[in-house]
Amino acid sequence: MPKRRLFAIWLYAFFLQAGYFKSDPRLAWVPIDLTILLAVFVTLFLIAELLKTKKMHVGIILPLLFFVTFLPGLLGVDWSSYTIMKVIRFYFQTLLVALGPFFFITSTDEVQQFIKATVFLGLLLTVDIIYQVIVFKGNVWRITAFGSSVIAIGRSVGLVVIYFALKFIIGDGSFRTILLLMVAAIATLVSGQRMAIAGPLLTLAIAVLVKPNFKFGGLRRALVLFLIVVLTISTTYIFLPQRAKYRIDRFFGSGVSGFTDTARSRLISKSLEASIEHPFGLGLGGVQNRLGINYPHNIVVEAFAEGGLVAGTLMCFVLAISVILALILVRKSTADAFLYLFAFLVFSLMYSMVAGDFNDNRMLFALTSICFSVRRELLTNPIGVSR
């Protein structure tokens, strides 16, 4: 792989998670917004790649069409400061995220590098979180990584948990793998987020079920992994921040009812009703401006409400196809990179159903595009790489 392509992949991965780092006072010296700075560099690499190849990947059509479906709704939007910011982020940053893989990530090795870069960035957040846990010893209300949000912990560190858990299950039982898995699991507990804690477990269960030729040894390692998680939780609970302990007690101590949210269900219902009343959508920002809801907490519902029936239906179709493509790669390839890709996609998809909006769930857009961008020959005759 050319060093230029390798650098572009890592830069792209950093761009995806730049929002988790830019609030840190230690980065106050950066003259412009970190996300914008990285977006400019990614754009330059994209243009250079386009000029070099002078051709477009056919898989880019569906993801690009999704963004086009929101254009008619912009004619009738209330151009508030929130709408302007959301439109700019959607058509510059999030669109760039969706386009990037078609120029940088089309082979097995490139998928592998993207996975490594994503996990590395998640580990940086993990280290910052663990450092604060050691310093505060539970005597603090909330802990965040690099000044970001607790949701950022769930989205980023949750992927780290999944990565090292899968490595352990498929045969890498090294001390390093177990140690990094345990510290990442502690970091997700610090967030106090339901999806950050339950999401990786659900994702691992799905990944194990779809992995071909799964043997008894893998099941045994999965049981050992479960015991490691239980041990980690029981020994570190006292050191968690107060907010995390409160939320864990509330959600997990109430059984199934702790995972239901009546207020959020009403918001989703209200958004779906709006999509029926306005077939072409409320326009970007319409959920907040016209329904009075900050976030619909579900990007599929957001697509129906703000983009209309066409955008919502297209999003469901694109997500379904991406999951199928990822599953085909897992079933036919010997490369572990595609198992990680599938697991990351499932986890990010689940997270997008309960938190944030389009621009907050850029990882899902990236993973979806990667499923479309991998060369078609990998789907019919995949070539594995070493772990």
Side-chain angles (χ1 to χ4, degrees):
M1 182 190 310
K3 291 184 178 180
R4 173 181 52 80
R5 179 68 71 93
L6 179 64
F7 183 67
I9 292 172
W10 279 73
L11 197 67
Y12 172 77
F14 190 20
F15 165 55
L16 278 175
Q17 302 195 51
Y20 303 157
F21 295 90
K22 65 183 182 182
S23 299
D24 193 316
R26 288 167 289 189
L27 293 177
W29 57 272
V30 179
I32 63 174
D33 183 276
L34 182 61
T35 303
I36 296 177
L37 178 63
L38 291 171
V40 171
F41 282 117
V42 171
T43 302
L44 292 176
F45 272 103
L46 188 151
I47 294 173
E49 194 68 26
L50 180 61
L51 292 176
K52 179 182 178 182
T53 59
K54 296 181 180 179
K55 60 182 180 180
M56 299 286 286
H57 193 297
V58 67
I60 203 172
I61 296 175
L62 277 179
L64 190 59
L65 184 61
F66 172 74
F67 287 85
V68 172
T69 58
F70 284 84
L71 291 175
L74 296 180
L75 298 176
V77 299
D78 177 15
W79 289 98
S80 63
S81 58
Y82 169 78
T83 301
I84 294 173
M85 182 56 65
K86 182 169 184 176
V87 170
I88 291 175
R89 293 179 66 200
F90 185 71
Y91 280 108
F92 177 55
Q93 298 176 10
T94 305
L95 176 59
L96 182 60
V97 166
L99 297 181
F102 295 99
F103 298 89
F104 310 136
I105 310 173
T106 60
S107 69
T108 303
D109 288 338
E110 289 163 355
V111 172
Q112 185 94 343
Q113 284 301 321
F114 174 77
I115 297 295
K116 287 182 179 179
T118 301
V119 172
F120 174 78
L121 294 168
L123 282 174
L124 293 182
L125 270 68
T126 301
V127 170
D128 190 55
I129 294 164
I130 297 301
Y131 170 76
Q132 294 181 67
V133 169
I134 295 173
V135 170
F136 293 114
K137 299 181 176 66
N139 298 316
V140 65
W141 173 246
R142 184 177 70 171
I143 288 177
T144 61
F146 296 101
S148 60
S149 67
V150 291
I151 296 178
I153 298 175
R155 286 198 181 104
S156 183
V157 182
L159 296 176
V160 177
V161 172
I162 292 169
Y163 177 78
F164 286 107
L166 283 176
K167 282 182 71 71
F168 180 82
I169 291 174
I170 61 182
D172 183 358
S174 66
F175 174 76
R176 184 186 67 173
T177 296
I178 296 174
L179 176 62
L180 293 176
L181 171 61
M182 291 179 68
V183 296
I186 294 171
T188 58
L189 289 175
V190 168
S191 73
Q193 296 292 303
R194 286 171 289 187
M195 186 55 69
I197 299 171
L201 297 177
L202 293 172
T203 301
L204 289 172
I206 295 172
V208 166
L209 289 175
V210 303
K211 180 174 169 47
N213 302 320
F214 187 73
K215 300 178 180 179
F216 176 76
L219 179 60
R220 184 175 57 189
R221 286 190 292 270
L223 292 175
V224 172
L225 174 65
F226 178 75
L227 293 177
I228 292 174
V229 171
V230 172
L231 178 63
T232 301
I233 294 174
S234 59
T235 55
T236 60
Y237 180 81
I238 191 174
F239 299 105
L240 297 179
Q242 298 164 16
R243 178 184 181 275
K245 286 188 284 190
Y246 166 75
R247 289 176 64 88
I248 291 173
D249 289 341
R250 194 181 93 189
F251 295 142
F252 293 89
S254 304
V256 177
S257 62
F259 288 83
T260 58
D261 191 332
T262 304
R264 183 169 295 184
S265 298
R266 285 198 296 267
L267 294 180
I268 294 175
S269 176
K270 193 174 182 181
S271 297
L272 288 175
E273 290 174 2
S275 71
I276 297 174
E277 296 174 1
H278 303 274
F280 296 102
L282 301 172
L284 289 171
V287 170
Q288 182 180 101
N289 294 331
R290 300 175 66 174
L291 299 183
I293 303 172
N294 288 334
Y295 297 104
H297 299 287
N298 185 307
I299 65 168
V300 173
V301 172
E302 183 180 12
F304 275 103
E306 297 191 348
L309 295 175
V310 174
T313 303
L314 182 59
M315 165 157 269
C316 292
F317 179 73
V318 169
L319 291 174
I321 294 299
S322 65
V323 172
I324 293 172
L325 291 174
L327 184 57
I328 291 174
L329 288 168
V330 171
R331 302 292 294 181
K332 291 190 174 183
S333 176
T334 59
D336 294 336
F338 294 120
L339 179 62
Y340 300 135
L341 174 65
F342 174 81
F344 283 16
L345 175 65
V346 170
F347 177 71
S348 299
L349 178 58
M350 288 193 296
Y351 229 115
S352 72
M353 297 296 107
V354 298
D357 64 358
F358 294 133
N359 298 317
D360 295 323
N361 286 284
R362 291 176 190 160
M363 182 61 72
L364 177 63
F365 283 91
L367 295 167
T368 298
S369 290
I370 290 174
C371 293
F372 282 91
S373 70
V374 290
R375 290 197 295 268
R376 283 177 292 178
E377 57 264 30
L378 291 179
L379 295 175
T380 56
N381 186 28
I383 300 174
V385 296
S386 62
R387 298 173 187 170

